[in-house]
Every structure is written in C-alpha cells, then in structure tokens.
C-alpha cells in the first residue's frame, strides 16, 4: 500500500483502537465518502460557496482521521477556494479529489480484504 495515499501508521492506530470494529470503520468511511463527495458536487453545481466550504471541510477531517493525507490536502484546497469564493477553481479540485479517492478506495478495499 502506498504511504503517499494512505498513512500506514494512522491505519495501524485505528486498527488498535477499533479492534474487531476496524473493518466496519473502513466500510463506513467508504460509504460516507461517497455521500460527502455528492454534497460537494451539489454545492458546486448550485454555486453555493458556503455549502461547498462546509462539505470540503467535513470531508477533509474524515480523510485526515482515516489516514488519507493527499485526499485531505485536496479537500483543504477546495475548502480554501470556497472560503475565498473562488468557485472557478472548484471543478478541477473536485476532479482531483475524485481521482485520489478512487485510488484510496482501491487501497482501503484491499486493506478490508485482510479481515474477511
């Protein structure tokens, strides 16, 4: 697993804390992330900078907690663009977030397979 996409130390810590519930945490993050990305897209399409900022902020925290540093950085950039009401920057950042999440999804599903 690539440390540039997932922080193994964070995952190990989550595994220690969560114990048998660790696979559930992985599953929940994946499902929750789809919902968060949907909120980001909807806010962008509506031109709602405040909703976009909040959605990006929320996803950033979730990504940080789950050890997805590159994804968290992209969300922070989107949050900042929305805070500055630079919605013209949002589509490219949202696309980058989608691509990075696709990689993280594959890596976390691989991680999840270890617990079947």
């Amino acid at each position: 697993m690539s440390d540039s996409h997932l922080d193994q130390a964070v995952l190990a810590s989550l595994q220690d804390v969560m114990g048998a519930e660790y696979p559930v945490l992985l599953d929940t993050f994946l499902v929750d992330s789809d919902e968060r990305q949907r909120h980001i897209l909807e806010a962008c399409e509506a031109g709602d900078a405040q909703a976009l900022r909040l959605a990006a902020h929320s996803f950033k925290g979730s990504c940080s907690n789950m050890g997805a540093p590159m994804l968290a950085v992209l969300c922070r950039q989107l949050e900042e663009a929305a805070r500055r009401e630079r919605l013209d920057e949002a589509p490219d950042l949202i696309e980058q977030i989608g691509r990075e999440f696709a990689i993280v999804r594959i890596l976390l599903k691989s991680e999840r397979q270890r617990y079947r």
Side-chain angles (χ1 to χ4, degrees):
M1 210 175 298
S2 173
D3 284 343
S4 65
H5 299 287
L6 287 178
D7 185 329
Q8 292 301 312
V10 171
L11 291 180
S13 177
L14 288 171
Q15 185 179 2
D16 287 345
V17 170
M18 297 298 295
E21 293 299 308
Y22 177 67
V24 174
L25 177 66
L26 296 176
D27 293 341
T28 300
F29 173 74
L30 292 173
V31 170
D32 185 62
S33 294
D34 288 334
E35 184 72 10
R36 290 177 193 271
Q37 287 182 91
R38 186 178 63 75
H39 288 297
I40 285 171
L41 275 173
E42 287 173 354
C44 183
E45 290 170 357
D48 187 338
Q50 176 69 358
L52 181 58
R53 184 186 66 77
L54 292 172
H57 177 79
S58 178
F59 195 27
K60 175 188 72 177
S62 179
C63 294
S64 294
N65 291 338
M66 289 299 295
M70 289 177 65
L71 197 50
V73 165
L74 290 168
C75 289
R76 181 184 51 76
Q77 291 172 354
L78 180 60
E79 177 186 12
E80 181 61 22
R83 187 188 65 73
R84 293 180 293 133
E85 297 190 6
R86 297 290 309 261
L87 296 183
D88 58 310
E89 298 173 13
D92 183 54
L93 287 166
I94 291 169
E95 183 178 323
Q96 290 178 55
I97 287 168
R99 285 194 309 261
E100 179 62 19
F101 182 69
I103 294 167
V104 167
R105 177 190 303 278
I106 290 166
L107 294 173
L108 287 179
K109 284 188 173 199
S110 176
E111 172 79 1
R112 177 66 173 86
Q113 288 296 323
R114 294 177 34 207
Y115 299 93
R116 292 205 183 250

